[in-house]
Amino acid sequence: VLDYGHGGSQPGTTYGELKEKSFNLALGQLIYNELHRQKEGEQNIQVMLTRDADYKVPLRVRRNLINQHHQNIPIDLVCSIHHNSAERESAHGFECYYMDGSVKGALFSQHIVDAVKTTGTYLRNGGLITTSQLGKNLAMIHRVSPPSVLIEAGYLSNASDRNKIVDSSYRLLLAQNVASGIWSALNSGGNH
């Protein structure tokens, strides 16, 4: 499952005219395309989306959709895609959050971060952060049944990150590597 964070009347974080929801959607659509493009041989992947355009889907609806589907057909991973912001403009980098004790969440996070590292992208705090370290419960991690991760693909509040976020060639490179990390994790035991 790819969950493009926010949407519609929920812009997420903003910086001037820049709205997180738009970058979540743009990056997510590229990851979706790359997951299908990178398949090897007979491998196939089914990717469910919680939204496919700029409209609001309440968190409760997203969670219920994922949990109901998971009861019938097990889901290997939920990847929620976001962009961050901080009061300190110096805060920057890519982060991947997962729940403490989730073996598959840790596996997917590690593979995604390892792949993103090859782009030269700065990994804040090494890129891997448990929700305990973050000090928050995240709905798309704690309230969904399948293994899940949440990526923060950079800080709109940081000038250097912002320049990358708005750059379509960087966005494609990041999407290619996130998809590569997901495939790598699936092939190393992250699937049912």
Side-chain angles (χ1 to χ4, degrees):
V1 176
L2 291 179
D3 171 58
Y4 310 151
H6 309 291
S9 62
Q10 296 180 329
T13 192
T14 60
Y15 185 89
E17 297 296 312
L18 303 177
K19 295 181 173 126
E20 177 190 1
K21 66 176 184 173
S22 301
F23 296 106
N24 297 344
L25 180 63
L27 178 61
Q29 288 173 327
L30 290 171
I31 293 170
Y32 176 87
N33 292 338
E34 285 299 316
L35 284 169
H36 289 90
R37 191 185 69 75
Q38 292 180 18
K39 67 182 181 179
E40 298 174 14
E42 297 299 312
Q43 284 185 310
N44 200 358
I45 191 166
Q46 293 180 358
V47 182
M48 185 172 92
L49 304 175
T50 57
R51 71 177 174 105
D52 60 0
D54 184 18
Y55 52 85
K56 177 183 171 182
V57 180
L59 261 177
R60 174 186 42 79
V61 172
R62 294 176 196 222
R63 290 192 321 258
N64 290 345
L65 175 73
I66 290 165
N67 290 335
Q68 287 170 3
H69 191 279
H70 187 63
Q71 286 178 350
N72 299 320
I73 301 170
I75 295 170
D76 294 314
L77 173 69
V78 175
C79 181
S80 191
I81 300 158
H82 291 263
H83 290 78
N84 220 333
S85 181
E87 286 185 20
R88 289 183 304 110
E89 290 181 17
S90 60
H92 70 289
F94 181 95
E95 301 164 301
C96 191
Y97 305 144
Y98 64 97
M99 185 169 59
D100 288 285
S102 171
V103 173
K104 288 190 177 181
L107 173 77
F108 277 102
S109 294
Q110 185 67 63
H111 281 263
I112 290 168
V113 165
D114 286 347
V116 168
K117 189 185 303 182
T118 67
T119 68
T121 297
Y122 174 72
L123 303 171
R124 184 159 192 222
N125 300 317
L128 296 167
I129 302 171
T130 66
T131 52
S132 292
Q133 291 169 318
L134 185 64
K136 291 181 182 178
N137 279 351
L138 300 173
M140 291 307 289
I141 290 180
H142 291 273
R143 295 191 185 136
V144 295
S145 302
S148 59
V149 301
L150 186 147
I151 65 171
E152 292 281 4
Y155 282 70
L156 279 171
S157 53
N158 176 270
S160 177
D161 276 9
R162 193 168 50 252
N163 288 337
K164 290 179 179 177
I165 290 167
V166 300
D167 180 345
S168 58
S169 58
Y170 173 78
R171 195 177 311 127
L172 177 59
L173 178 65
L174 187 60
Q176 289 168 337
N177 282 274
V178 169
S180 176
I182 291 171
W183 269 117
S184 175
L186 286 170
N187 290 328
S188 71
N191 56 352
H192 292 283

